[in-house]
Amino acid sequence: MKLMNNIKAYVGHRVLNKHLSAHIRKPVVCNINKAGHIGIIYNATESVSFEIIRDLVKDLTHEKRKVTVLGYVDSKKLIDNYLYRKGFDFFSKNELNWYSKPVSSTIDQFIKEPFDLLINLSLEDHYPIQYITALSPAAFKAGKFSPDDQILDFMIDIEKEKDTMRNLQKEIKKESGKKKNNAEIEADIERKTETELQLSFLINQLLHYLSIIKN
């Protein structure tokens, strides 16, 4: 199983690198306040992520700006609550080929969109999200820092803020009022709180810096 996964990863990155070698793109810095069309791609596996992104889209959308959202669910089944969400598109493992390349008309359309700004809000390095982000012709791409990333033009390193986020995490758990009945429930709360905390922090930092960056 591990060998097969390694083969998939190898082939996937070879294919992506081949596409990138023929993908000529010159980044153009874009202040978020001047972006007419914003693309957002994220890991929608946790429902808490959708709630955060939904609120973000409400804040970003206005009559002079279009926001297009694509969420990836790391499962073969889409969450029922995601079906028919206006303004949101989702894809799952069912839309991936054998080495995890995303393949569907919805994904192709997202990749082709000439966004002024593309924001990758995935907290992990999922290949399907990397693939779409890499091949997008977006003028400017932003997201979470990764030491090996050669795709994004602007990144936020949330690892440097771990101590600050831990303190906030304690407050969030305290305010949630949820009882820790057993280890499984506690782990679930911990995981969801961590996702909420990191994603919210990443969004806040990106919005701040992208609002003061100069075109």
Side-chain angles (χ1 to χ4, degrees), residues 23 25-31 35 37 39 113-118 133 136-142 151-154 215:
H23 187 66
R25 171 182 166 271
K26 185 177 180 179
V28 178
V29 177
C30 181
N31 184 295
H37 192 183
E113 285 291 339
F115 300 115
D116 298 308
L117 175 63
L118 175 61
T133 303
S136 169
F140 199 58
K141 304 177 185 181
I151 297 170
L152 299 175
D153 307 310
F154 182 82
N215 289 65

Side-chain angles (χ1 to χ4, degrees), residues 21 28-29 40 43 45-46 50 52 70 78 82 88 91 100 134-135 140-141 174 178 187 193 200 205:
S21 64
V28 178
V29 177
I40 295 175
N43 179 5
T45 307
E46 298 290 344
F50 169 75
I52 293 172
L70 182 63
L78 284 176
Y82 290 171
F88 285 74
F91 69 104
S100 295
L135 296 189
F140 199 58
K141 304 177 185 181
K174 200 179 294 181
K178 294 180 180 179
T193 304
S200 296
Q205 291 294 95

Side-chain angles (χ1 to χ4, degrees), residues 65-80:
R65 176 188 290 148
K66 180 181 178 182
V67 180
T68 302
V69 185
L70 182 63
Y72 170 60
V73 178
D74 194 27
S75 168
K76 288 190 175 181
K77 183 179 179 181
L78 284 176
I79 301 170
D80 291 340

